[in-house]
């Protein structure tokens, strides 16, 4: 018996719940000691775009609970589908068995790619989907008689998850460097981040320059390279770095020419986040592997999937068990998670969400004008339902570009100021971003825009400096 939790006092107030959590729970992506001065937020429930604290204080979820929630918390349509499914079949193994939710979801996901991709392989988290794509790529090349293809390429600043394989293709030093000794290191090529444009250069010029860097690497090493993995259109964890779709077209052409698989990690940008249903659509390309998670289940249950080209599947289809993809997870294709995903796809279809987001996005765009006009902000940018702003500091007037560069003071102060005013925000370094669910009303859009600007203002004023200084 864990004596720490067994002896914890019975909770009476919100503070007691937070204190128990700090004793019993190891929170993710957190230096636990920071909670000595940054309070944990104890939540009681969710309601549409809002999270409600145990104290009753309401927070508009401005970052969709880490980019997963699409249609709000406690959504009645997704909830009804889950209630119906839980009384029918909660879970069964997917090796040797199948069920309607997993079949229907796989068919509908393939149809959304015009059946360019299919044979849905499921896991629970984004990082697992990336692991699967990496293993499948190498194994496919092996089965095709090219076992030397065992290296991977990622893009400077890319993030693909925290498990060892995914971390090996992640270029965020803060997350990766401690574990360097455990990783299969990847080649890192130049980022197409449009903020790097020199005077007179367009985002497409930056994209071409970055693609040329990849071309150089592949020209030297393609016999040993299995795949390139990329975050299409937005490198989210790097601080919402955005690039021209031309980059993806160039990657597709280079991967074809050099016989290297293209893995598109749309875990964050899929499901309408980039403005189209899949980000790759804006470039008019399909990858060899498409990794999806986060919004896949509407933000309800852990679910991820890898879709692949028919040629990949065919490379495994044989009598020999060693040629098969023997990877598995206990909860692969969980029926509840698949039903949540089907209900999410129903909402996209029935409510014409992609079209509606154009209207919603334009409205928030106009409301964010004060942030764009603020002289302390650089590189105000938007891709679909993602808005981002870099904040200049006195010490470093150039806006934050290097991934992993961390300005905890700005991020923490902004987070605290936004919470106080009723919005959940979590800046990355000196990048303040908004990634709301797709259901905000005009009043909610106004609240989000107003508080984002006030939080930025409060965070930059900092302690000891008068307003307007
Ligand atoms: C979040 C994310 C992942 C990892 O997903 P988890 O579910 O957190 O493991 C991988 N790639 C991208 C682009 C992500 O945003």
């Amino acid at each position: 018996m864990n004596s720490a939790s067994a002896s914890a006092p019975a909770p009476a107030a919100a503070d007691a719940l937070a204190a128990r959590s700090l004793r019993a729970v190891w929170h993710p992506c957190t230096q636990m000691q920071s909670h000595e001065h940054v309070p944990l937020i104890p939540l009681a429930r969710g309601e549409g775009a809002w999270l409600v604290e145990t104290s009753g204080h309401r927070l508009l979820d401005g970052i969709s609970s880490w980019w997963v929630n699409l249609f709000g918390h406690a959504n009645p349509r997704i909830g009804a589908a889950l209630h119906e499914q839980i009384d029918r079949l909660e879970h069964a193994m997917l090796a040797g068995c199948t069920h309607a939710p997993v079949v229907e979801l796989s068919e509908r996901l393939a149809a959304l790619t015009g059946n360019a991709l299919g044979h849905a392989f499921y896991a629970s988290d984004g990082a697992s989907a990336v692991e699967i794509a990496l293993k499948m790529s190498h194994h496919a090349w092996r089965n095709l008689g090219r076992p030397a293809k065992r290296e991977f390429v990622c893009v400077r600043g890319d993030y693909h998850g925290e498990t060892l394989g995914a971390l090996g293709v992640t270029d965020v030093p803060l997350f990766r460097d401690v574990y360097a000794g455990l990783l299969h290191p990847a080649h890192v090529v130049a980022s197409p981040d449009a903020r790097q444009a020199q005077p007179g250069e367009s985002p497409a010029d930056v994209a071409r320059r970055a693609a040329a860097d990849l071309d150089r690497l592949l020209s030297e090493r393609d016999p040993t390279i299995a795949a390139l993995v990329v975050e299409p259109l937005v490198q989210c964890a790097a601080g919402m770095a955005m690039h021209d779709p031309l980059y993806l077209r160039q990657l597709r052409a280079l991967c074809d020419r050099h016989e290297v698989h293209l893995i598109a990690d749309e875990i964050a940008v899929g499901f309408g986040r980039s403005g189209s249903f899949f980000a790759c659509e804006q470039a008019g390309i399909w990858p060899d592997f498409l990794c999806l998670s986060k919004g896949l289940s509407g933000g309800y249950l852990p679910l991820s999937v890898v879709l692949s080209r028919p040629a990949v599947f065919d490379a495994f289809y044989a009598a020999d068990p060693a040629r098969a993809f023997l990877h598995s997870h206990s909860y692969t294709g969980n029926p509840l998670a698949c039903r949540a995903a089907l209900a999410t796809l129903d909402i996209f279809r029935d409510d014409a969400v992609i079209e509606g987001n154009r209207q919603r996005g334009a409205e928030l765009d106009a409301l964010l004008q004060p942030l764009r006009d603020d002289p302390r902000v650089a590189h105000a940018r938007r891709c679909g339902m993602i808005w981002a702003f870099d904040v200049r500091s006195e010490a470093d007037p150039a806006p934050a570009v290097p991934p992993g560069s961390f300005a905890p003071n700005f991020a923490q102060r902004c987070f605290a100021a936004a919470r106080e005013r009723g919005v959940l925000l979590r800046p990355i370094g000196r990048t303040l971003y908004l990634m709301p669910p797709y259901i905000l009303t005009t009043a909610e859009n106004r609240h989000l825009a107003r508080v984002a600007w006030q939080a930025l203002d409060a965070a930059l004023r900092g302690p000891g400096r008068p307003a307007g200084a």
Side-chain angles (χ1 to χ4, degrees), residues 66-68 124-130 158-163 166 170 230-232 234-237 265-269 291 293-294 303-304 435:
W66 250 358
W67 324 341
V68 301
S124 308
D125 298 291
S128 309
V130 171
D158 253 14
Y159 177 87
H160 297 290
E162 307 285 345
T163 53
T170 286
V230 65
E231 284 183 83
V234 189
Q235 294 179 278
C236 296
D265 175 353
E266 295 216 17
I267 289 166
V269 296
C291 301
S293 186
K294 292 205 166 113
L303 181 68
S304 65
M435 209 153 158

Coordinates of all heavy atoms in Angstrom, one line a residue, residues 66-68 124-130 158-163 166 170 230-232 234-237 265-269 291 293-294 303-304 435, ligand 1:
W66 N -4.5 20.5 -25.0 CA -3.3 20.0 -25.7 C -3.6 19.5 -27.0 O -3.2 18.4 -27.4 CB -2.6 18.9 -24.8 CG -1.2 19.4 -24.3 CD1 -0.6 20.6 -24.5 CD2 -0.3 18.7 -23.4 NE1 0.6 20.6 -23.9 CE2 0.8 19.5 -23.2 CE3 -0.4 17.4 -22.9 CZ2 1.9 19.0 -22.4 CZ3 0.7 17.0 -22.1 CH2 1.8 17.8 -21.9
W67 N -4.5 20.2 -27.8 CA -4.7 20.0 -29.2 C -5.5 18.8 -29.5 O -5.5 18.4 -30.7 CB -3.3 20.0 -30.0 CG -2.2 20.8 -29.4 CD1 -2.4 21.9 -28.6 CD2 -0.8 20.8 -29.7 NE1 -1.2 22.5 -28.4 CE2 -0.2 21.8 -29.0 CE3 -0.1 19.9 -30.5 CZ2 1.2 22.0 -29.0 CZ3 1.3 20.1 -30.5 CH2 1.9 21.2 -29.8
V68 N -6.3 18.3 -28.6 CA -7.0 17.1 -28.8 C -8.5 17.3 -29.0 O -9.2 16.6 -29.8 CB -6.8 16.0 -27.7 CG1 -5.4 15.6 -27.6 CG2 -7.4 16.4 -26.4
S124 N -2.6 3.5 -29.5 CA -3.4 4.3 -28.5 C -2.9 5.8 -28.5 O -3.7 6.7 -28.3 CB -3.3 3.7 -27.1 OG -3.7 2.4 -27.1
D125 N -1.6 6.0 -28.7 CA -1.1 7.4 -28.6 C -0.3 7.7 -29.9 O 0.1 6.9 -30.7 CB -0.1 7.4 -27.4 CG -0.8 7.2 -26.1 OD1 -1.6 8.0 -25.7 OD2 -0.5 6.1 -25.6
G126 N -0.1 9.1 -30.0 CA 0.6 9.6 -31.2 C 2.0 9.0 -31.3 O 2.3 8.5 -32.4
A127 N 2.7 8.9 -30.2 CA 4.1 8.4 -30.3 C 4.1 7.0 -30.8 O 4.9 6.6 -31.6 CB 4.7 8.5 -28.9
S128 N 3.1 6.2 -30.4 CA 3.0 4.8 -30.9 C 2.8 4.7 -32.4 O 3.3 3.8 -33.1 CB 1.9 4.0 -30.2 OG 2.0 4.2 -28.8
A129 N 2.0 5.7 -32.9 CA 1.7 5.7 -34.3 C 3.0 6.0 -35.1 O 3.3 5.4 -36.1 CB 0.7 6.7 -34.7
V130 N 3.8 6.9 -34.5 CA 5.1 7.2 -35.2 C 6.0 6.0 -35.1 O 6.7 5.6 -36.1 CB 5.8 8.4 -34.5 CG1 7.2 8.6 -35.0 CG2 4.9 9.7 -34.8
D158 N 11.4 19.5 -35.5 CA 10.2 18.6 -35.5 C 10.0 17.9 -34.2 O 11.0 17.6 -33.4 CB 10.4 17.5 -36.6 CG 9.5 17.8 -37.8 OD1 8.9 18.9 -37.9 OD2 9.3 16.9 -38.6
Y159 N 8.8 17.6 -33.9 CA 8.4 16.8 -32.7 C 7.5 15.7 -33.1 O 6.5 15.9 -33.8 CB 7.6 17.7 -31.7 CG 7.1 17.0 -30.5 CD1 7.9 16.9 -29.4 CD2 5.9 16.4 -30.5 CE1 7.5 16.2 -28.3 CE2 5.4 15.7 -29.4 CZ 6.3 15.6 -28.3 OH 5.8 14.9 -27.2
H160 N 7.9 14.5 -32.7 CA 7.1 13.3 -33.0 C 6.7 12.4 -31.9 O 6.2 11.3 -32.1 CB 7.8 12.5 -34.1 CG 8.0 13.3 -35.4 ND1 6.9 13.7 -36.2 CD2 9.1 13.9 -35.9 CE1 7.4 14.4 -37.2 NE2 8.7 14.6 -37.1
G161 N 7.0 12.8 -30.6 CA 6.6 12.0 -29.5 C 7.7 11.7 -28.6 O 8.9 12.0 -28.9
E162 N 7.5 11.0 -27.5 CA 8.4 10.9 -26.4 C 9.0 9.5 -26.2 O 9.9 9.3 -25.5 CB 7.8 11.3 -25.1 CG 7.2 12.7 -25.1 CD 8.2 13.8 -25.1 OE1 9.4 13.6 -24.8 OE2 7.8 15.0 -25.4
T163 N 8.4 8.5 -26.9 CA 9.0 7.1 -26.8 C 10.3 7.1 -27.6 O 10.6 8.0 -28.4 CB 8.0 6.1 -27.3 OG1 7.7 6.4 -28.6 CG2 6.8 6.0 -26.4
A166 N 10.3 7.5 -31.4 CA 9.8 8.8 -31.8 C 10.7 9.9 -31.4 O 10.9 10.9 -32.1 CB 8.4 9.0 -31.2
T170 N 12.9 13.3 -33.2 CA 12.4 14.6 -32.6 C 13.6 15.5 -32.4 O 14.6 15.1 -31.9 CB 11.7 14.3 -31.3 OG1 10.4 13.8 -31.6 CG2 11.5 15.6 -30.5
V230 N 7.8 14.1 -41.3 CA 7.6 15.5 -41.3 C 6.3 15.9 -40.7 O 5.3 15.1 -40.7 CB 7.6 16.0 -42.8 CG1 6.4 15.4 -43.6 CG2 7.6 17.5 -42.9
E231 N 6.2 17.0 -40.1 CA 5.0 17.6 -39.6 C 4.4 18.6 -40.6 O 4.9 19.7 -40.8 CB 5.2 18.4 -38.3 CG 5.5 17.7 -37.0 CD 5.6 18.7 -35.8 OE1 4.6 19.1 -35.3 OE2 6.8 19.0 -35.5
P232 N 3.4 18.2 -41.4 CA 3.0 19.0 -42.5 C 2.4 20.3 -42.1 O 1.6 20.4 -41.2 CB 1.9 18.1 -43.2 CG 2.2 16.8 -42.7 CD 2.7 16.9 -41.3
V234 N 2.6 22.8 -40.2 CA 2.9 23.5 -38.9 C 3.7 22.6 -38.0 O 3.3 21.5 -37.7 CB 1.6 23.8 -38.1 CG1 1.9 24.7 -36.9 CG2 0.6 24.6 -39.0
Q235 N 4.9 23.0 -37.6 CA 5.7 22.3 -36.6 C 5.3 22.8 -35.3 O 5.7 23.9 -34.8 CB 7.2 22.6 -36.9 CG 7.8 22.1 -38.2 CD 9.2 22.5 -38.4 OE1 9.6 23.6 -38.8 NE2 10.1 21.6 -38.0
C236 N 4.3 22.1 -34.7 CA 3.6 22.7 -33.6 C 4.4 22.9 -32.3 O 4.5 23.9 -31.8 CB 2.4 21.8 -33.3 SG 1.2 21.8 -34.7
A237 N 5.1 21.8 -31.9 CA 5.8 21.9 -30.6 C 7.0 22.8 -30.7 O 7.5 23.3 -29.7 CB 6.3 20.5 -30.1
D265 N 3.3 13.1 -40.3 CA 2.8 13.1 -38.9 C 1.7 14.2 -38.8 O 2.1 15.3 -38.5 CB 3.9 13.3 -37.9 CG 3.5 13.4 -36.5 OD1 2.2 13.4 -36.2 OD2 4.4 13.4 -35.6
E266 N 0.5 13.8 -39.0 CA -0.7 14.8 -38.9 C -1.4 14.6 -37.6 O -2.6 14.8 -37.5 CB -1.6 14.6 -40.1 CG -1.0 15.0 -41.4 CD -2.0 15.7 -42.4 OE1 -3.0 16.2 -41.9 OE2 -1.6 15.8 -43.6
I267 N -0.6 14.1 -36.6 CA -1.2 13.9 -35.2 C -1.8 15.2 -34.7 O -2.9 15.2 -34.1 CB -0.1 13.3 -34.3 CG1 0.1 11.9 -34.7 CG2 -0.6 13.4 -32.8 CD1 1.4 11.3 -34.1
A268 N -1.1 16.3 -34.9 CA -1.7 17.6 -34.4 C -2.5 18.3 -35.5 O -3.5 19.0 -35.2 CB -0.5 18.5 -33.9
V269 N -2.0 18.3 -36.8 CA -2.6 19.1 -37.8 C -3.7 18.5 -38.5 O -4.4 19.2 -39.3 CB -1.5 19.7 -38.8 CG1 -0.6 20.6 -38.1 CG2 -0.9 18.5 -39.5
C291 N 0.2 9.4 -40.1 CA 0.0 9.1 -38.7 C -1.1 10.1 -38.1 O -1.0 11.3 -38.3 CB 1.3 9.3 -37.9 SG 2.6 8.3 -38.4
S293 N -3.8 11.0 -34.7 CA -4.2 10.8 -33.3 C -4.9 12.0 -32.8 O -5.6 12.6 -33.5 CB -3.0 10.4 -32.4 OG -3.4 10.0 -31.1
K294 N -4.7 12.4 -31.5 CA -5.2 13.7 -31.0 C -6.7 13.9 -31.4 O -7.6 13.2 -30.8 CB -4.4 14.9 -31.4 CG -3.0 14.8 -30.7 CD -2.3 16.1 -30.5 CE -1.2 16.0 -29.5 NZ 0.1 16.2 -30.1
L303 N -6.4 7.2 -28.9 CA -6.6 6.4 -30.2 C -5.6 7.0 -31.2 O -5.6 8.2 -31.4 CB -8.0 6.4 -30.7 CG -8.3 5.6 -32.0 CD1 -8.1 4.1 -31.7 CD2 -9.6 5.9 -32.6
S304 N -4.9 6.1 -31.9 CA -4.0 6.6 -33.0 C -4.1 5.6 -34.1 O -4.5 4.4 -33.9 CB -2.6 6.9 -32.5 OG -2.0 5.7 -32.1
M435 N -5.4 27.7 -30.1 CA -5.8 26.5 -30.9 C -7.1 26.0 -30.3 O -7.2 25.0 -29.7 CB -4.7 25.4 -30.6 CG -4.5 24.5 -31.8 SD -2.8 23.9 -31.7 CE -2.9 22.4 -32.6
Ligands
LIG1 C1 1.4 15.2 -29.8 C2 2.2 14.8 -31.0 C3 2.8 13.6 -31.0 C4 2.7 12.6 -29.9 O1 1.4 12.2 -29.6 P1 1.2 11.5 -28.1 O2 -0.2 11.1 -28.1 O3 1.4 12.7 -27.1 O4 2.1 10.4 -27.9 C5 3.5 13.2 -32.2 N1 3.6 14.1 -33.2 C6 3.0 15.3 -33.2 C7 3.1 16.2 -34.4 C8 2.3 15.7 -32.0 O5 1.8 17.0 -32.0

